[in-house]
Amino acid sequence: MHMADALLSPAVGTTLWAGTAAITGFASHRLKKQIDDRTIPLMGVLGAFIFASQMINFTIPGTGSSGHLGGGMILAVLLGPHAAFLVMASVLTVQALFFADGGLLALGCNVWNLGVYPCYLVYPFLYKPLAGGGKSPGRVLTASVVSAAVALQLGAFSVVLETLLSGKSELPFEAFLLLMQPIHLVIGIVEGFVTAGVINYVRTARPEILASMAASRPLGRDVQLRKVLATFAVLAVVTGGVLSWFASTHPDGLEWSIQRVTGSDSLPEAGQGIVSVLKRFQEKTAVLPDYSFAPAGNEAQKAEESPAWPMVDGGTSAAGIVGAAVVLGMVLLVGLGIRSFRGRNS
Amino acid sequence: MTFNRNYFDIGRLDRLAYGRTWVHRLDPRSKVVATLLYLLTVVSLPKYEVAALTPFFLFPVLLAALAGIPARFILRKMLIVSPFAIVIGIANPLLDTRTAVVIAGTPLSGGLLSFFSILLKFALTVGTTLLLIATTSFPGVCHAFRRLGVPSLFVSQLMFLYRYLFVLMEEAMRIVRAREMRSFGARGAEIRVYVRLVGTLFLRTVDRAERIYDAMLSRGFQGDIPTLGRSRMAAADLLFVATTVGFLGLFRFVPVTEGIGRLAQGVLG
Amino acid sequence: MSHHIVEFKDVHFRYPDGTEALRGVNFRITHGESVGIVGANGAGKSTLLMHINGCLLPTAGTVTIGDFALTAKTRREVRKKVGVVFQNPDDQLFMPTVFDDVAFGPLNLGMDDAAVRERVDQALALVNGRQLKDKPPHHLSAGQKSSIAIAAVMAMGPDILAMDEPAASLDPRSRRLLIALLNTFNHSKIVASHDLDLILDVCQRCIVIGGGTVVADGPAREILTNAALLEANNLELPLTLQGRS
């Protein structure tokens, strides 16, 4: 369930990048002050552990599909929220680079969906109260299953929101939710079982490890509710600000998805405010007018017929297709040319 | 219990990154920055844009060709990448059936256009990201991150992760093989076995972390992972970034494809 | 300044789980000596090595390294004097490239950039590893890994080099190269190993550990030819001395 670059709009991508960058800075700052030196290599190696454990798949009973350890929840239980968040962020970064899983722009979204929720929301407010001291295997199991499921539901819901806000997909909100939430409920529950299983296994096999990990954590007490709420409030305001700016500049983005969601046909007036400013700016600066901002008359007419439409007309697109073929051919030739040149030289 | 075959490709990708071409030698910072700008530009193109995306193929193709990265390998990796974007995008032609354009008598729906657009963006973003890591060593990327202001604690996590990724992957493989040899291919109780395997791997990992910590202490570790100041950006690096930015601007704001298309149409009559 | 450089005086160590690993270890090692430490599995070799640079502190008795009695306060100073190469090079090489790894120690000593580069270069030259500088450790062979691990320790400029099973995972040729390399060092050397041939080739003196104490201590030639003593400690004559026909 990695959010992908191709579905993302720059506004959503950069907003979540900013959000996760802020949290990364916060977590590093916190840890630096409170961390036991010993934890630094431990965190890094546990990141590699999450990665390596994901290499092993098992069959989810009754479904035939495969599951593996998610990571965020178990890390939070073992390392506490700040360290777990940083490890999770590093795991996702390596996945984005080596697997192109999600991608670099979507990294912000993915760290948010799979790191922030389990570490900063679910762990302190759900897992800890449910698991209590963590001594009873039964409570650990309940807490893990509930927490992993809730964390993944939040994550999946955010993928839906991020995709819809980006406005590249036509999937209606309800259908998208129906597609995402149930499957991630199953995955989350399985992940919860695995998480509890590993924690309980470690507790039986080597009880001192969990104790020493807990002891080397930043001064106990984890996160304070007030600070978490304050951070979320600030981020919500920032996100809201950026998104509303985005909404006013990008007619086929947010409004489009809101329209899909609410089913109402009323469209906001494009061509006002920032849009028109940008358009004028673009007309002045561009050598050729960008064809999504085609000549005024044509655009107006089109816009009346089917308001949600991009401003494309047949002529432009025919030229576009011919051009695309020529461009791709040229690019391919350049690539092959360089390759044969290199081949001859080496 | 199976291995995700994705993992076997990491080693190859990683080896490619230690090549010695001109592209490999560029300062990692310049490649990271250029790639990020490239990705932003590509996804900033509107939803129904198809033709204008094609010139952007120039960047990954140039990178791959100049760095001698086998195109087939990158293409294959692109195919096995998690297809989430495509799964979601494929709904577009079904849901958005209103005709957007008619080309040579064939009506194309808006959904089809937007789906093509997602496909192209998928190919461009995934391909270019893979090429970044195929032309830049991961430690190089880490140093670039640090010099670009990413918190050092986070960067040292990335470094440890990379360093022990391959070690632990082998360890995981050993554990799974040892089990397979004794289970004679029998199935059942997968979750319970899985938990035991992962638990074992976890315990070994914690012990390893302890040994690493001792080794670090033996070499004067005091809580900070120090790094050397690296070389400065050379003229070539700045030129690389500037050229990339120039072309990105050109392809983003000038309808190059359309112009070339009109030209071609004119030539062909 | 005292002449001997490592001194263990009635050193005891008990792990937190109650295992008594060392029960009164006594020995002295002087400048330039190379000493092999042998013993059965679980005899206490590794625990002993961990005391040499303060990864563990004795529960009773004293360890003196050069002018310092080893305590929690002096162990940073002690670590500058003693370089320890642990058994598994993968745990020893923890940085993402060979250069970064060898530079880790000198940087922690607070050297400036130019001095660090110089040190790294010298240390790599010492083990013939200059061309490996930019490689990540997972691209190295086992033999290369162990020589880089030694370089990383030598870059700190220690007076004493201590090693735990340096040749454990090496093929015969890499092992031979390692022995040749170790013989080029004039440092005091302490080598803990089951590889008695390696001890015979590298060390003049040999200490046998058994049950947490020193069972025998003397010239390597003498100890390693004493079949009765070796067998009593789960050891055998070195292969080169077994005279098979």
Side-chain angles (χ1 to χ4, degrees):
Chain A
M1 183 213 47
H2 287 64
M3 183 65 193
D5 278 357
L7 292 176
L8 206 59
S9 74
V12 175
T14 46
T15 307
L16 281 144
W17 250 75
T20 48
I23 298 182
T24 308
F26 166 74
S28 313
H29 180 71
R30 258 314 155 80
L31 274 181
K32 213 163 211 165
K33 278 199 205 151
Q34 306 169 329
I35 202 172
D36 180 341
D37 288 355
R38 198 173 284 273
T39 316
I40 292 176
L42 180 64
M43 285 165 64
V45 183
L46 281 184
F49 159 75
I50 295 294
F51 221 102
S53 76
Q54 291 188 347
M55 169 179 168
I56 316 170
N57 297 320
F58 62 90
T59 313
I60 297 178
T63 63
S65 71
S66 67
H68 56 67
L69 195 60
M73 246 3 269
I74 196 169
L75 288 171
V77 175
L78 294 170
L79 294 170
H82 302 306
F85 174 78
L86 282 189
V87 175
M88 205 53 211
S90 65
V91 169
L92 291 165
T93 306
V94 172
Q95 279 179 343
L97 285 168
F98 276 109
F99 293 164
D101 227 351
L104 279 181
L105 283 186
L107 184 58
C109 298
N110 288 321
V111 173
W112 185 274
N113 302 346
L114 298 171
V116 174
Y117 292 135
C119 300
Y120 285 111
L121 267 187
V122 175
Y123 173 72
F125 300 122
L126 207 54
Y127 182 88
K128 289 209 79 173
L130 283 178
K135 295 275 187 302
S136 134
R139 285 187 74 174
V140 168
L141 180 67
T142 321
S144 303
V145 171
V146 172
S147 305
V150 169
L152 216 53
Q153 287 296 298
L154 287 171
F157 185 66
S158 301
V159 169
V160 173
L161 283 187
E162 285 150 9
T163 310
L164 289 185
L165 289 177
S166 294
K168 304 248 151 93
S169 160
E170 294 285 344
L171 272 178
F173 183 65
E174 298 88 345
F176 204 166
L177 274 189
L178 274 176
L179 191 69
M180 295 288 286
Q181 305 301 125
I183 175 91
H184 284 101
L185 185 62
V186 177
I187 297 176
I189 290 172
V190 172
E191 193 194 322
F193 272 102
V194 174
T195 304
V198 174
I199 293 172
N200 285 330
Y201 173 85
V202 173
R203 185 182 310 287
T204 352
R206 302 264 297 278
E208 79 282 359
I209 284 184
L210 292 182
S212 82
M213 277 182 159
S216 66
R217 256 188 218 181
L219 311 173
R221 290 180 306 286
D222 304 305
V223 225
Q224 283 174 321
L225 179 58
R226 245 187 318 145
K227 285 191 179 157
V228 174
L229 290 182
T231 314
F232 272 95
V234 169
L235 286 168
V237 169
V238 171
T239 314
V242 173
L243 285 182
S244 53
W245 166 79
F246 162 64
S248 64
T249 60
H250 211 282
D252 68 11
L254 187 63
E255 268 83 337
W256 168 85
S257 58
I258 286 171
Q259 177 208 3
R260 288 271 157 186
V261 173
T262 58
S264 100
D265 274 343
S266 68
L267 256 192
E269 307 238 334
Q272 280 182 354
I274 301 177
V275 173
S276 60
V277 173
L278 278 184
K279 211 190 284 184
R280 249 176 283 136
F281 175 75
Q282 192 167 23
E283 276 161 6
K284 286 205 180 93
T285 51
V287 185
L288 297 163
D290 186 317
Y291 73 93
S292 62
F293 290 125
N298 192 2
E299 177 193 340
Q301 189 196 355
K302 278 265 167 191
E304 269 163 37
E305 286 167 18
S306 54
W309 240 216
M311 296 31 159
V312 276
D313 69 76
T316 315
S317 293
I321 297 241
V322 174
V326 176
V327 167
L328 284 180
M330 293 195 314
V331 169
L332 196 65
L333 276 180
V334 169
L336 291 176
I338 295 175
R339 232 174 73 164
S340 70
F341 179 75
R342 281 176 48 90
R344 245 180 293 138
N345 276 17
S346 61
Chain B
M1 208 113 355
T2 49
F3 287 123
N4 187 340
R5 63 175 290 222
N6 238 338
Y7 283 81
F8 295 105
D9 284 337
I10 305 186
R12 176 145 186 224
L13 202 54
D14 179 55
R15 274 182 190 277
L16 286 174
Y18 292 87
R20 300 201 166 270
T21 69
W22 174 80
V23 181
H24 286 91
R25 280 199 300 267
L26 283 172
D27 189 296
R29 268 174 298 172
S30 64
K31 282 182 276 186
V32 169
V33 168
T35 305
L36 285 175
L37 290 174
Y38 172 86
L39 296 174
L40 259 180
T41 315
V42 167
V43 303
S44 78
L45 279 156
K47 180 179 174 187
Y48 295 97
E49 197 60 78
V50 176
L53 282 167
T54 51
F56 287 93
F57 276 103
L58 189 61
F59 185 67
V61 166
L62 273 180
L63 278 186
L66 289 170
I69 306 294
R72 191 183 297 231
F73 172 63
I74 297 292
L75 287 175
R76 189 168 61 81
K77 275 221 61 142
M78 280 164 59
L79 288 179
I80 55 176
V81 153
S82 144
F84 180 68
I86 297 173
V87 170
I88 297 304
I90 210 156
N92 285 6
L94 307 173
L95 293 167
D96 181 358
T97 51
R98 285 181 292 181
T99 303
V101 298
V102 179
I103 292 171
T106 321
L108 294 179
S109 71
L112 208 57
L113 284 185
S114 62
F115 176 53
F116 274 136
S117 180
I118 289 177
L119 275 185
L120 286 181
K121 283 172 185 161
F122 177 79
L124 292 169
T125 53
V126 169
T128 305
T129 307
L130 289 175
L131 281 168
L132 169 69
I133 201 66
T135 58
T136 317
S137 73
F138 192 79
V141 174
C142 291
H143 287 300
F145 281 167
R146 192 193 298 259
R147 305 271 316 257
L148 291 170
V150 176
S152 64
L153 192 59
F154 177 63
V155 175
S156 49
Q157 292 316 302
L158 286 176
M159 288 181 164
F160 274 115
L161 206 173
Y162 171 79
R163 171 65 189 95
Y164 286 100
L165 180 60
F166 299 93
V167 176
L168 290 192
M169 269 166 54
E170 266 174 37
E171 192 139 356
M173 243 184 277
R174 274 199 298 272
I175 295 179
V176 170
R177 269 197 213 118
R179 162 181 141 84
E180 267 166 12
M181 269 183 252
R182 278 173 295 170
S183 70
F184 305 104
R187 302 201 135 246
E190 290 252 346
I191 282 201
R192 222 174 315 144
V193 176
Y194 175 83
V195 162
R196 196 104 42 83
L197 289 185
V198 171
T200 312
L201 185 63
F202 174 81
L203 292 180
R204 292 194 192 175
T205 307
V206 172
D207 289 342
R208 187 184 288 280
E210 202 62 16
R211 294 195 300 270
I212 294 168
Y213 179 64
D214 283 339
M216 291 171 76
L217 285 181
S218 305
R219 288 198 269 145
F221 178 62
Q222 296 167 78
D224 256 332
I225 296 187
T227 43
L228 220 51
R230 300 264 148 175
S231 54
R232 291 178 168 202
M233 297 264 262
D237 303 313
L238 296 173
L239 190 68
F240 170 72
V241 176
T243 317
T244 310
V245 169
F247 275 103
L248 290 178
L250 177 72
F251 293 158
R252 174 66 182 86
F253 295 111
V254 180
V256 179
T257 317
E258 195 198 330
I260 291 176
R262 285 196 198 290
L263 207 67
Q265 280 176 323
V267 170
L268 298 172
Chain C
M1 181 173 158
S2 56
H3 185 58
H4 47 262
I5 192 158
V6 176
E7 180 169 35
F8 274 55
K9 248 189 212 158
D10 197 30
V11 172
H12 287 257
F13 183 77
R14 185 196 292 270
Y15 279 101
D17 66 358
T19 317
E20 233 188 323
L22 302 181
R23 314 169 190 222
V25 173
N26 288 290
F27 63 81
R28 293 171 160 196
I29 293 171
T30 52
H31 270 294
E33 258 193 306
S34 58
V35 179
I37 296 182
V38 300
N41 284 332
K45 297 190 303 289
S46 295
T47 309
L48 195 152
L49 273 196
M50 302 274 264
H51 279 78
I52 290 182
N53 78 339
C55 279
L56 297 176
L57 295 174
T59 30
T62 52
V63 176
T64 314
I65 309 288
D67 300 327
F68 298 99
L70 182 64
T71 63
K73 274 184 194 151
T74 58
R75 60 178 154 188
R76 259 192 68 69
E77 287 307 310
V78 164
R79 281 174 185 147
K80 288 182 193 166
K81 290 194 164 294
V82 190
V84 180
V85 182
F86 293 102
Q87 193 167 346
N88 185 344
D90 272 329
D91 302 338
Q92 184 83 18
L93 303 173
F94 45 79
M95 293 294 279
T97 67
V98 167
F99 180 90
D100 286 329
D101 202 275
V102 180
F104 183 86
L107 280 168
N108 277 327
L109 294 179
M111 297 180 172
D112 63 52
D113 282 11
V116 170
R117 280 177 206 283
E118 166 107 37
R119 261 298 167 88
V120 173
D121 193 62
Q122 284 170 356
L124 286 176
L126 201 66
V127 301
N128 303 316
R130 269 202 184 122
Q131 74 289 356
L132 302 175
K133 190 170 75 117
D134 295 320
K135 291 208 173 192
H138 60 272
H139 288 183
L140 304 180
S141 68
Q144 288 171 331
K145 276 185 203 168
S146 62
S147 25
I148 298 301
I150 293 173
V153 165
M154 296 301 275
M156 309 252 321
D159 296 332
I160 308 160
L161 183 62
M163 280 176 285
D164 194 358
E165 288 295 357
S169 56
L170 301 186
D171 57 41
R173 183 164 176 272
S174 313
R175 177 179 166 279
R176 183 53 53 197
L177 289 173
L178 177 78
I179 290 174
L181 176 68
L182 291 180
N183 282 328
T184 61
F185 297 161
N186 299 319
H187 298 72
S188 301
K189 282 176 289 237
I190 302 174
V191 184
S193 182
H194 287 310
D195 183 345
L196 303 186
D197 291 275
L198 177 128
I199 304 267
L200 199 60
D201 282 344
V202 174
C203 305
Q204 292 99 50
R205 179 177 159 198
C206 183
I207 296 177
V208 183
I209 303 280
T213 55
V214 173
V215 177
D217 184 349
R221 280 262 149 210
E222 262 168 46
I223 300 233
L224 295 176
T225 48
N226 183 343
L229 170 70
L230 292 174
E231 255 159 53
N233 287 283
N234 279 12
L235 302 166
E236 290 182 334
L237 282 178
L239 294 175
T240 43
L241 302 180
Q242 283 185 8
R244 294 184 190 172
S245 51

